[in-house]
Amino acid sequence: MMHSNQATPRIPFLQLLTYERPDAAAWITGNASHPRLSGLVKFYRTTYGGVLVEAEIFGLPNIDQQGSSNFYAMHIHEFGNCSDNFEKTGSHYNPSKDSHPDHAGDLLPIMGNQGYAWSAFYDKRFTIEEIIGKSVIIHSNRDDFTTQPSGDSGTKIGCGEIRKLL
């Protein structure tokens, strides 16, 4: 609930990110072609009925391009099995069988600035409980938000299983 002196959820969101432990997280690792890729995607329950997502990713492919900024797709996939070059993660998490980009697993893209990306956003299309055991995938290209079924987002270069934190 918002307090009477507060116009938006911004302050509670900042407090969650600063002082609270996430309810779930995915440790991202790169595939054999992207061994420097790593990061953490955290998921926080909010009092607004949605999930606050924070992603910090290192070693994106544009790391060696001085001053570069590139977009990379980030999605939740059906399965948390990151083995075999991430081939066992299934499709985008899509419990309502919507078209892309309306899958519950279609997340905001990340912007890699010379290999580093940080992002935080609020999403009401899934709960923490629904995504435990699924995976967060980082793709080699940006999501065009049009092409079916996955936005022409390229190969899977990073993966992490979403795990509940105690």
Side-chain angles (χ1 to χ4, degrees):
M1 295 304 262
M2 280 192 277
H3 302 288
S4 60
N5 62 346
Q6 188 176 317
T8 73
R10 183 178 65 88
I11 298 299
F13 286 175
L14 288 172
Q15 290 172 337
L16 271 175
L17 294 175
T18 304
Y19 301 111
E20 299 299 325
R21 180 183 171 103
D23 296 288
W27 292 97
I28 306 297
T29 57
N31 62 12
S33 300
H34 299 87
R36 295 192 287 179
L37 189 121
S38 66
L40 183 61
V41 180
K42 299 184 245 179
F43 301 89
Y44 298 83
R45 241 182 226 95
T46 75
T47 58
Y48 301 97
V51 177
L52 188 62
V53 180
E54 180 187 28
E56 186 172 30
I57 309 296
F58 303 89
L60 289 161
N62 66 326
I63 191 170
D64 296 321
Q65 299 166 15
Q66 187 68 32
S68 65
S69 292
N70 293 11
F71 285 102
Y72 300 92
M74 182 169 67
H75 302 127
I76 296 174
H77 281 240
E78 299 172 294
F79 310 115
N81 185 343
C82 291
S83 65
D84 294 333
N85 209 33
F86 317 144
E87 293 304 315
K88 296 182 178 183
T89 59
S91 299
H92 292 185
Y93 173 56
N94 187 15
S96 58
K97 310 294 186 228
D98 290 320
S99 295
H100 183 76
D102 296 321
H103 305 150
D106 291 332
L107 303 179
L108 290 179
I110 55 174
M111 179 189 278
N113 292 285
Q114 197 170 334
Y116 175 77
W118 182 87
S119 176
F121 57 91
Y122 175 64
D123 200 322
K124 289 187 88 168
R125 295 172 300 159
F126 54 84
T127 66
I128 299 289
E129 291 72 26
E130 291 169 341
I131 61 171
I132 299 298
K134 299 186 180 348
S135 59
V136 173
I137 296 292
I138 307 296
H139 292 271
S140 59
N141 298 329
R142 65 177 182 82
D143 187 324
D144 68 13
F145 298 105
T146 303
T147 306
Q148 298 301 321
S150 60
D152 195 26
S153 51
T155 60
K156 299 172 185 177
I157 61 172
C159 182
E161 180 184 350
I162 302 170
R163 298 176 184 210
K164 184 178 179 81
L165 299 180
L166 303 175

